[in-house]
Amino acid sequence: HHISYSPSLIAVNIRGHDATAENIRESKEFGVNIAAEDQNVLCSVAGRYTGRHIDKISVLEENGIAVFYNAKHIKALMVQRAAMNAECKLVKQEELGDHIMFIGEVVEISADENIRPLLYHNGKYWKLGEGIVKPAPEILNRIEELAQKKHSNSRL
């Protein structure tokens, strides 16, 4: 979740007992990769197995599924050809139920607008659909007029 522009902050929620949570607590940094729509196998391996028992990177590399590169500012591997990659330094963590929310300041980010991100919802992978047109300018102008009117009449 992108939570701030200045500074640029990203929050990730990880189960507290996962190896990833332990790695973030120890290293004080983490990488975020938004997979491309053709990287569903990579995501299935990453989400299905724990790094405590399986070397997921070796499994993927030996099957020619993913190629990784060393991050520039953190000691982590990043996913090549992902829709977006962000390198983050940990600034805060908060236990929330059975997950930990890790908030990191983005120290490096790259994205490729030509690569469509993979979506995951209800146990299935999805592609992004068609873009949705913004409301017409006359509707937005009318909303702005009403907002200004309501703002000036506000009792707050």
Side-chain angles (χ1 to χ4, degrees):
H1 306 287
H2 184 253
I3 59 173
S4 172
Y5 288 108
S6 183
S8 183
L9 300 175
I10 292 178
V12 295
N13 297 298
I14 311 290
R15 286 182 299 216
H17 65 274
D18 281 358
T20 300
E22 183 178 313
N23 291 341
I24 294 171
R25 281 193 294 261
E26 289 177 8
S27 68
K28 308 289 190 242
E29 58 191 22
F30 58 93
V32 176
N33 304 274
I34 296 180
E37 63 184 20
D38 64 349
Q39 293 177 325
N40 59 340
V41 174
L42 180 151
C43 293
S44 292
V45 171
R48 179 175 291 180
Y49 301 102
T50 174
R52 292 188 193 282
H53 306 295
I54 293 175
D55 182 345
K56 296 184 276 187
I57 293 170
S58 292
V59 168
L60 290 164
E61 287 181 336
E62 285 181 30
N63 284 288
I65 294 169
V67 180
F68 300 92
Y69 69 93
N70 291 319
K72 294 178 184 177
H73 301 285
I74 62 173
K75 293 178 183 154
L77 292 177
M78 305 298 284
V79 177
Q80 286 186 358
R81 298 181 315 278
M84 190 274 301
N85 302 94
E87 300 175 28
C88 302
K89 296 283 188 173
L90 184 65
V91 295
K92 183 176 183 176
Q93 67 184 51
E94 183 79 29
E95 290 194 30
L96 303 167
D98 61 353
H99 280 61
I100 300 171
M101 178 176 59
F102 295 99
I103 299 173
E105 182 170 359
V106 177
V107 294
E108 180 76 21
I109 191 165
S110 62
D112 186 335
E113 291 181 10
N114 297 313
I115 298 176
R116 292 172 46 156
L118 179 68
L119 304 178
Y120 184 79
H121 177 67
N122 281 342
K124 297 179 182 176
Y125 293 109
W126 301 85
K127 293 180 181 183
L128 280 177
E130 294 296 317
I132 298 172
V133 179
K134 285 186 173 185
E138 57 272 7
I139 294 172
L140 293 175
N141 290 338
R142 178 69 180 139
I143 290 170
E144 180 64 25
E145 289 171 10
L146 290 171
Q148 292 297 324
K149 182 179 176 184
K150 297 294 182 186
H151 178 71
S152 62
N153 291 335
S154 173
R155 289 178 268 177
L156 296 177

